[in-house]
């Protein structure tokens, strides 16, 4: 599931995107609702200029409801169409057809003026690895519809999934690389598990998360692990280890194990709905 990015990958991904983007009217960009800005690559704005744009706040089930709404407003104000979705459970998927028509209304109007009627909107899904592109395409199109094009012997053409008479979707999503050179962005991507944990060691990463939670979601750790939320982050991690009986050699606290447990609980939503970045930081 984890991706390591090398310049070669990035160049190839970008070239594919540039080719495919010529074929479409609408860019459906998935972002992670917990980190809507850090899970984007700003280059998409250049690549997708002159296209209709739709941003999906995916994994909205894992992010705070109030912040999902605030982020939706934030992107709407910047001129994007926006929808909150949970691709895993199908939440929000029913609204998508309407939102696509709305996002493409200028194009549809242009076509109509030129006498072109009923030409379907062509769309492409893009986003960073692990943001939920395949899950979303499956939720939208149904598993049977998602064909794979490049098996040996199968013609290597573009595959379009016909969603209905109005919309066709390119079956291969465009992969954007995250901008993890920025330290804060890298940290947030590591929190959600979308880049390798090794940018920081697991304990350091967990302590960063502890620091964030104590500041922005006080009481969360206390409630989940029945701990005192010690002021010192390492002590707090030790409290988690103690509470969850993470021990080495039967007696010493295994803070490495506690760190993995904590990160895992966070990533799977077991600490509750937690948004990691907020629109007011980006105004
Ligand atoms: P990608 O194509 O963009 O690389 O992402 P992919 O669809 O493979 O999804 C990555 C992971 O994110 C998957 O979990 C998927 O189930 C999960 N996911 C996608 N959309 C949502 C969502 O809206 N909410 C939640 N909570 N999770 C979502 P996984 O751990 O790889 O597999 P599994 O645990 O689902 O088996």
């Amino acid at each position: 599931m984890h991706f390591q990015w090398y310049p070669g990958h990035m160049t190839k991904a970008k070239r594919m995107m540039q080719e495919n983007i010529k074929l479409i009217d609408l860019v459906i960009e998935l972002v992670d609702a917990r980190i809507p800005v850090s899970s984007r690559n700003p280059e998409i704005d250049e690549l997708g200029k002159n296209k209709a744009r739709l941003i999906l706040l995916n994994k909205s089930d894992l992010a705070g409801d109030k912040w999902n709404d605030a982020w939706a407003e934030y992107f709407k104000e910047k001129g994007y169409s926006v929808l909150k979705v949970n691709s895993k459970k199908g939440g929000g998927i029913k609204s998508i057809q309407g939102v696509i028509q709305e996002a493409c209304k200028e194009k549809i109007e242009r076509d109509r003026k030129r006498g072109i009627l009923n030409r379907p909107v062509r769309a492409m899904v893009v986003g960073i690895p692990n943001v939920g592109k395949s899950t979303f395409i499956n939720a939208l199109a149904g598993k049977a519809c998602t064909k794979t094009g490049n098996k040996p012997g199968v013609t290597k053409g573009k595959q379009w999934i016909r969603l209905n008479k109005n919309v066709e979707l390119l079956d291969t999503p465009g992969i954007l690389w995250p901008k993890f050179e920025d330290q804060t962005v890298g940290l947030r991507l590591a929190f959600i598990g979308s880049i390798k944990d090794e940018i920081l060691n697991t304990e350091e990463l967990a302590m960063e998360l502890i620091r964030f939670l104590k500041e922005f979601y006080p009481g969360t750790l206390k409630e989940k692990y029945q701990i005192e939320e010690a002021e010192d982050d390492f002590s707090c991690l030790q409290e988690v280890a103690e509470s969850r009986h993470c021990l080495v050699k039967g007696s010493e606290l295994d803070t490495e194990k506690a760190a993995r447990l904590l990160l895992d609980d966070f990533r799977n939503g077991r600490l509750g709905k937690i948004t990691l970045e907020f629109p007011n930081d980006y105004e």
Side-chain angles (χ1 to χ4, degrees):
M1 225 42 264
H2 295 290
F3 286 72
Q4 191 67 53
W5 286 93
Y6 301 104
H9 280 138
M10 296 185 193
T11 316
K12 195 166 165 228
K14 189 166 167 182
R15 203 181 311 124
M16 259 190 72
M17 185 93 76
Q18 279 164 332
E19 275 172 26
N20 287 340
I21 224 157
K22 290 183 203 145
L23 310 171
I24 57 147
D25 310 297
L26 169 70
V27 177
I28 302 177
E29 181 187 354
L30 265 74
V31 301
D32 189 302
R34 293 165 295 176
I35 50 167
V37 171
S38 295
S39 57
R40 301 186 74 201
N41 182 314
E43 277 193 56
I44 188 62
D45 284 332
E46 181 56 29
L47 286 164
K49 65 172 192 271
N50 308 324
K51 304 289 174 185
R53 302 290 301 277
L54 168 57
I55 288 190
L56 300 182
L57 296 169
N58 193 39
K59 308 199 186 185
S60 58
D61 53 309
L62 299 175
D65 292 325
K66 148 179 141 188
W67 294 115
N68 287 341
D69 292 338
W71 276 116
E73 266 323 297
Y74 170 92
F75 287 115
K76 275 182 195 159
E77 271 171 25
K78 297 207 176 314
Y80 302 94
S81 294
V82 189
L83 187 65
K84 292 176 282 180
V85 289
N86 169 357
S87 299
K88 200 166 171 173
K89 292 268 165 70
I93 301 290
K94 281 203 192 96
S95 319
I96 196 113
Q97 305 283 4
V99 177
I100 290 178
Q101 295 305 311
E102 175 65 25
C104 295
K105 63 174 189 278
E106 282 175 22
K107 177 226 171 265
I108 295 166
E109 184 55 22
R110 241 182 358 255
D111 278 1
R112 199 185 59 81
K113 281 192 179 140
R114 291 192 198 135
I116 307 167
L117 291 177
N118 302 328
R119 191 166 72 88
V121 167
R122 290 193 144 184
M124 169 177 161
V125 171
V126 309
I128 65 168
N130 221 26
V131 76
K133 298 178 293 300
S134 317
T135 312
F136 169 72
I137 293 174
N138 282 337
L140 191 59
K143 288 199 168 50
C145 291
T146 349
K147 308 168 203 93
T148 42
N150 48 5
K151 287 183 193 138
V154 175
T155 327
K156 238 192 173 177
K158 305 274 173 232
Q159 295 260 17
W160 295 90
I161 302 167
R162 203 177 166 81
L163 295 179
N164 57 33
K165 66 178 179 23
N166 299 322
V167 189
E168 288 178 0
L169 190 68
L170 196 61
D171 79 339
T172 25
I175 302 173
L176 295 166
W177 54 101
K179 266 185 73 74
F180 49 81
E181 306 85 7
D182 177 316
Q183 232 195 330
T184 321
V185 173
L187 193 60
R188 288 171 182 168
L189 288 162
F191 283 160
I192 66 164
S194 116
I195 55 173
K196 288 199 173 208
D197 284 350
E198 65 205 33
I199 67 154
L200 280 177
N201 76 42
T202 314
E203 284 169 286
E204 280 174 31
L205 190 60
M207 283 193 286
E208 291 285 353
L209 184 60
I210 285 172
R211 187 171 315 151
F212 172 84
L213 291 171
K214 282 194 303 195
E215 183 174 352
F216 292 96
Y217 293 84
T220 301
L221 294 168
K222 184 173 183 176
E223 193 181 324
K224 174 74 182 169
Y225 302 110
Q226 290 82 49
I227 60 171
E228 283 312 310
E229 291 198 355
E231 203 176 310
D232 176 69
D233 300 321
F234 187 68
S235 307
C236 197
L237 185 60
Q238 287 179 312
E239 288 182 325
V240 175
E242 207 168 350
S243 156
R244 286 298 144 110
H245 309 293
C246 302
L247 302 170
V248 258
K249 293 181 214 134
S251 58
E252 251 171 75
L253 290 177
D254 188 345
T255 43
E256 167 89 30
K257 187 171 172 195
R260 278 199 305 274
L261 183 140
L262 174 70
L263 289 166
D264 205 51
D265 279 346
F266 166 72
R267 288 170 185 165
N268 289 299
R270 289 190 291 266
L271 298 182
K273 290 164 164 273
I274 290 167
T275 299
L276 293 170
E277 62 190 18
F278 311 104
N280 39 339
D281 298 336
Y282 294 92
E283 250 126 42

